[in-house]
Amino acid sequence: MLTASTDIRYLKGVGEKRGEVLKNKGIDTVGALLRFYPRAYLDWTDITPIIDAHFYENVCIKARITTPIETLKKRKDMTIYRFLIEDNTASLEVTLFNQTYLANKLRTGREYLFYGKIDGGFIYKNLKSPIIMESGFMGIEPIYPASSKLSSKTIEKLTKTALSMVQLPETLPEEIRKRNNLCDINFAIQNIHFPKTRDNLNRAIKRLVFEELFILQAGLTFLKRQNRGKSGCVIIDSYFDKFKASLPFELTNAQTRVCKECFADMSSGRPMNRLVQGDVGSGKTAVSAALIFATAKNGFQSALMAPTEILAEQHFNTLSSILKNRNINIGLLTGSLTKKQKEKVKLELKEGKIDIIIGTHALLTDDVEFNNLGLVVTDEQHRFGVNQRGKLSSKGENVHTLVMSATPIPRTLGLILYGDLDISIIDEYPKGRQKIDTYFVNSSYRERIYNFIKKFLNDGLQGYIVCPLVEENEALDITSATEYYEKLKENEFKDYNIGLLHGKMKPKEKDAIMRKFASGEIKLLISTTVIEVGIDVPNSVVMLIENAERFGLSQLHQLRGRIGRGTKKSTCVLISDSKSQDTKKRLNIISKTTDGFKIADADLELRGPGDFLGNRQHGLPEMKIADLFADRDVLKTAGREVENLIKTDPELKNPENSGLKAEIIELYKKINNN
Ligand code: ADP
Ligand code: MG
């Protein structure tokens, strides 16, 4: 008997070879085939009047052939048939290539259905080789993501076979379906593939979108609870006062509160899984330092992972200075150490001689081993995937995990990305901070801004100029950081000590420049976006961003976060000559607000979720049908239903929920294999 979990190989019409092709597409079972949804539909019921048929659109047209079928012989091997069709709105030209059988069947004066892409002809709009049906034909055909080895038609045929033999278990409890007006699973599966009407298709889509977002969130909730069930090493926080005494400033109330929330987790006997969210400059590093210090005092090792070497080195310096004379051994592990240096650090780590290791992705490699890892901190979490966070934690047992992030992730997406974490928010800036003033101007102001910057430098303060790319790209007319630097050094800023920082420099060079900038030797840093995350030099109070239109809103916010870190008033100037309305809108938003949440939401609205989810490795399973942004309302509703369900059946023991449970287990596998 065939079931959803039967190997796809055993479905009629598949066999060994085609089975492999299907498996390469991720279709390994009959159930997976049923869950392989069409990417589009050929909808013979959705008729477009010719007058409304736009270029390059796929349309279905119902029209009469009004001219004889004209035959043109182009070459020996090519016959072209041409005729006009007309509905009561306009005419259109149709061309067929070598389709003699079809051409002979068509009758002038009769009405047919034509499906294809609209192209330009000399006089008329043109349809090239459309699919043609008798005009009475009704139906919606699925179009699957096909490949040369597997056509859409083949997938369609196999899916029909599977549908006639297998029923899928229901994954949504009846009560939830009723409340949200959702059809049952088998109606949905039948109609996502072979809908009789648009309405049925829409009902199927509605249900499957809800289901996908429901299972995603249920899965994350269980992941969270699963971690809760484990035991965590116990870290007692009786060292907090000592820690505070070694800081050069007083913690804000928000920082103290967040530290206490973390200590409550870490002393509970269960592992902490917490996200600390705080806008740029809110002081997340100090919070992590407090936990790291306590962990060391309790005899456990900590690891702090940052996305760039510069940032890792900066953290290393910060922690070394806060924790000096405390008999705590701090190590640094980045890709740019020599092999020998790395070996030494790894050995000391393994032997437990290093209490705190700070590093980049280099910490993730398999040969990095710990003696007794107790705490893993990931800084700028949005730069890492869920799986990377997990990988570092898995190097110890009962490890506490803290992830820190500024807030470029909009709330709706944060819910998903951090669904398995508890959240603490630092919603207060250190005392004495002033709002950063931001201006948006065109390049005719450049000279004046240089003079403005010089005034700050003359007062002993520092600043940044940010350019988008390292190398000259004339085609895009982008100011190259290197050339820009040379020019300033020889002209406008020849009396000042300025430095250059970009991603293609050797780590040692970068480090040397950063050190000189931090010590105040370099007054003005010309940089690419390598300074985007985390860099902390509070004496910098002015920033000029060139080609500001090239940056996303959240990125501009991060960049701007490099200033305004001390008690002095800071100013950010954005230069752009872009005439685009969209750019103006974006740059106006960033000029008006410094609230990271608002900026992220605006960015999401203007540019879509790609920047947050697409390019970055976030480690979540790929959505088959739902869109985390477009379906964000459904996301919320489904989230609430997950909460309800967990309250009534926390273990999903109710037989009604077994289908759901199976899907969640399937999802775990995917998250973990990612
Ligand atoms: P972020 O949250 O962006 O990572 P940092 O941890 O780098 O911010 O802190 C920003 C700056 O604020 C640093 O120079 C840090 O020393 C300083 N800082 C942090 N907490 C306080 C505080 N409570 N009082 C004064 N300055 C602080
Ligand atoms: Mg930081």
Side-chain angles (χ1 to χ4, degrees):
M1 230 254 307
L2 229 51
T3 69
S5 54
T6 304
D7 193 309
I8 191 69
R9 201 149 41 102
Y10 302 117
L11 181 69
K12 193 167 145 255
V14 179
E16 201 74 47
K17 218 165 141 200
R18 193 171 268 167
E20 278 313 304
V21 178
L22 284 161
K23 280 177 192 173
N24 285 337
K25 270 187 179 292
I27 306 171
D28 46 2
T29 61
V30 175
L33 178 67
L34 291 177
R35 292 281 190 180
F36 190 75
Y37 308 138
R39 69 170 167 79
Y41 299 87
L42 201 172
D43 186 352
W44 296 103
T45 65
D46 183 17
I47 308 280
T48 305
I50 293 179
I51 203 161
D52 294 334
H54 298 297
F55 282 115
Y56 311 119
E57 254 176 30
N58 281 311
V59 288
C60 180
I61 283 166
K62 186 176 190 173
R64 209 158 44 84
I65 301 182
T66 54
T67 62
I69 315 289
E70 186 186 355
T71 311
L72 306 165
K73 202 107 184 132
K74 270 273 146 89
R75 291 194 308 263
K76 250 212 315 251
D77 57 348
M78 162 106 81
T79 311
I80 299 174
Y81 301 96
R82 198 163 61 187
F83 53 91
L84 290 181
I85 61 172
E86 192 183 307
D87 63 7
N88 48 22
T89 66
S91 300
L92 185 79
E93 185 183 55
V94 176
T95 27
L96 304 176
F97 298 88
N98 291 337
Q99 289 160 290
T100 309
Y101 176 76
L102 178 63
N104 287 339
K105 259 193 2 186
L106 296 173
R107 293 285 168 266
T108 304
R110 237 201 240 171
E111 192 175 61
Y112 296 90
L113 289 166
F114 301 85
Y115 180 88
K117 193 190 270 176
I118 299 288
D119 245 329
F122 283 117
I123 305 171
Y124 298 100
K125 286 178 188 166
N126 184 292
L127 262 181
K128 284 198 178 62
S129 298
I131 304 171
I132 304 178
M133 291 279 198
E134 295 293 336
S135 81
F137 185 83
M138 292 282 281
I140 303 174
E141 288 178 47
I143 302 171
Y144 294 93
S147 60
S148 56
K149 286 188 187 135
L150 195 66
S151 72
S152 177
K153 276 285 164 216
T154 307
I155 300 174
E156 184 182 333
K157 229 172 79 195
L158 296 174
T159 305
K160 270 201 180 117
T161 311
L163 264 175
S164 69
M165 304 175 88
V166 171
Q167 297 268 61
L168 292 184
E170 181 54 75
T171 58
L172 295 176
E174 192 178 347
E175 210 182 298
I176 293 181
R177 271 188 284 132
K178 271 206 187 126
R179 212 172 11 244
N180 296 283
N181 192 16
L182 304 169
C183 62
D184 71 65
I185 181 68
N186 285 301
F187 180 91
I189 292 294
Q190 173 71 43
N191 284 282
I192 199 72
H193 292 290
F194 307 110
K196 288 252 159 49
T197 63
R198 264 280 143 184
D199 192 47
N200 282 0
L201 174 59
N202 289 338
R203 286 177 65 199
I205 292 174
K206 180 178 172 192
R207 178 216 146 104
L208 294 173
V209 165
F210 184 99
E211 179 193 50
E212 187 162 48
L213 295 174
F214 184 86
I215 290 172
L216 176 71
Q217 292 178 90
L220 291 169
T221 307
F222 274 89
L223 210 59
K224 193 161 156 179
R225 290 157 50 94
Q226 201 182 40
N227 289 332
R228 292 249 164 86
K230 288 188 198 146
S231 60
C233 63
V234 176
I235 308 289
I236 312 276
D237 69 331
S238 49
Y239 307 90
F240 195 37
D241 288 335
K242 244 190 203 147
F243 171 78
K244 285 193 282 193
S246 55
L247 282 176
F249 45 74
E250 250 181 60
L251 289 179
T252 62
N253 291 333
Q255 283 170 317
T256 304
R257 173 176 41 77
V258 170
C259 286
K260 297 227 154 120
E261 284 166 4
C262 294
F263 284 134
D265 290 352
M266 293 169 74
S267 57
S268 71
R270 284 187 302 275
M272 168 172 76
N273 270 293
R274 192 167 280 278
L275 165 70
V276 170
Q277 253 185 332
D279 215 334
V280 280
S282 61
K284 295 183 288 292
T285 316
V287 170
S288 68
L291 311 191
I292 288 172
F293 178 65
T295 304
K297 282 294 179 191
N298 279 266
F300 290 95
Q301 291 173 299
S302 301
L304 169 56
M305 182 165 71
T308 64
E309 296 208 359
I310 293 185
L311 197 50
E313 280 155 21
Q314 179 183 289
H315 285 327
F316 177 78
N317 294 333
T318 306
L319 263 74
S320 299
S321 110
I322 297 177
L323 304 180
K324 65 172 180 272
N325 308 327
R326 296 251 177 226
N327 199 18
I328 291 175
N329 199 0
I330 309 183
L332 178 66
L333 187 68
T334 61
S336 64
L337 296 186
T338 63
K339 197 157 179 244
K340 219 165 153 193
Q341 288 170 317
K342 277 187 206 155
E343 292 309 321
K344 181 165 175 275
V345 172
K346 284 177 193 167
L347 187 67
E348 289 180 354
L349 204 54
K350 194 173 168 180
E351 289 176 343
K353 286 185 189 146
I354 289 179
D355 305 299
I356 303 169
I357 184 76
I358 296 166
T360 54
H361 294 82
L363 291 173
L364 295 173
T365 51
D366 284 335
D367 59 353
V368 174
E369 293 169 75
F370 291 84
N371 182 35
N372 59 345
L373 182 62
L375 170 68
V376 163
V377 181
T378 318
D379 193 17
E380 306 295 347
Q381 164 61 32
H382 55 283
R383 290 298 188 98
F384 296 99
V386 174
N387 42 327
Q388 289 176 318
R389 183 212 304 161
K391 181 146 191 205
L392 190 49
S393 298
S394 69
K395 288 176 183 286
E397 277 166 48
N398 318 324
V399 173
H400 298 292
T401 307
L402 181 76
V403 306
M404 305 195 290
S405 185
T407 49
I409 303 286
R411 271 174 241 263
T412 40
L413 300 182
L415 195 77
I416 291 296
L417 287 177
Y418 304 128
D420 61 331
L421 299 172
D422 299 305
I423 297 182
S424 290
I425 296 179
I426 309 183
D427 50 5
E428 180 188 355
Y429 283 103
K431 263 199 233 90
R433 293 279 168 85
Q434 299 191 46
K435 198 178 151 288
I436 303 171
D437 285 335
T438 304
Y439 303 99
F440 159 36
V441 299
N442 64 35
S443 59
S444 70
Y445 284 79
R446 193 176 279 120
E447 287 301 318
R448 264 177 273 181
I449 296 162
Y450 287 158
N451 288 330
F452 178 72
I453 293 175
K454 281 181 205 168
K455 271 193 226 144
F456 289 103
L457 305 191
N458 293 341
D459 285 345
L461 296 164
Q462 290 165 279
Y464 301 94
I465 296 181
V466 182
C467 313
L469 283 181
V470 194
E471 265 144 21
E472 178 83 1
N473 187 337
E474 272 172 349
L476 290 170
D477 193 26
I478 283 174
T479 317
S480 114
T482 310
E483 270 193 18
Y484 195 102
Y485 164 77
E486 304 278 330
K487 193 177 135 277
L488 290 194
K489 207 171 79 168
E490 275 151 36
N491 302 295
E492 289 89 347
F493 286 89
K494 62 176 184 296
D495 301 329
Y496 297 82
N497 193 357
I498 71 176
L500 172 67
L501 187 74
H502 63 68
K504 294 207 177 127
M505 287 162 67
K506 293 215 179 70
K508 273 225 173 76
E509 296 171 326
K510 273 193 235 172
D511 189 33
I513 296 284
M514 269 330 285
R515 214 170 280 152
K516 283 185 191 162
F517 187 63
S519 72
E521 189 184 330
I522 290 177
K523 302 287 181 223
L524 180 66
L525 194 60
I526 316 302
S527 167
T528 59
T529 54
V530 288
I531 59 151
E532 179 192 342
V533 285
I535 298 300
D536 180 44
V537 180
N539 195 42
S540 310
V541 295
V542 61
M543 173 176 281
L544 163 61
I545 302 178
E546 291 277 1
N547 297 100
E549 75 281 355
R550 310 271 321 161
F551 299 98
L553 272 182
S554 297
Q555 207 179 8
L556 288 171
H557 180 61
Q558 278 281 330
L559 284 168
R560 180 174 59 181
R562 300 311 111 216
I563 55 173
R565 299 188 145 242
T567 48
K568 296 227 166 56
K569 184 87 186 163
S570 291
T571 312
C572 177
V573 184
L574 310 168
I575 292 190
S576 174
D577 287 331
S578 167
K579 299 269 184 300
S580 131
Q581 283 306 312
D582 188 54
T583 302
K584 283 190 183 150
K585 201 163 152 194
R586 271 194 293 141
L587 298 185
N588 277 325
I589 290 170
I590 197 91
S591 309
K592 287 208 183 81
T593 178
T594 49
D595 179 336
F597 273 123
K598 276 197 195 138
I599 288 168
D601 283 340
D603 211 10
L604 180 65
E605 211 174 304
L606 287 170
R607 311 214 310 174
D611 275 11
F612 301 103
L613 295 169
N615 316 330
R616 304 213 168 115
Q617 235 192 322
H618 51 75
L620 287 177
E622 211 176 304
M623 294 290 103
K624 281 186 182 157
I625 190 163
D627 178 322
L628 291 176
F629 180 60
D631 298 318
R632 58 195 183 280
D633 290 339
V634 184
L635 183 72
K636 268 188 218 146
T637 317
R640 273 198 299 273
E641 291 290 8
V642 168
E643 276 172 39
N644 288 338
L645 179 72
I646 299 295
K647 265 183 222 145
T648 54
D649 186 10
E651 306 286 327
L652 296 186
K653 283 201 171 128
N654 186 336
E656 201 200 359
N657 296 329
S658 63
L660 172 64
K661 197 168 182 176
E663 286 290 330
I664 292 174
I665 291 169
E666 193 60 34
L667 181 81
Y668 277 149
K669 271 196 233 152
K670 281 193 194 132
I671 290 183
N672 288 332
N673 292 340
N674 244 322

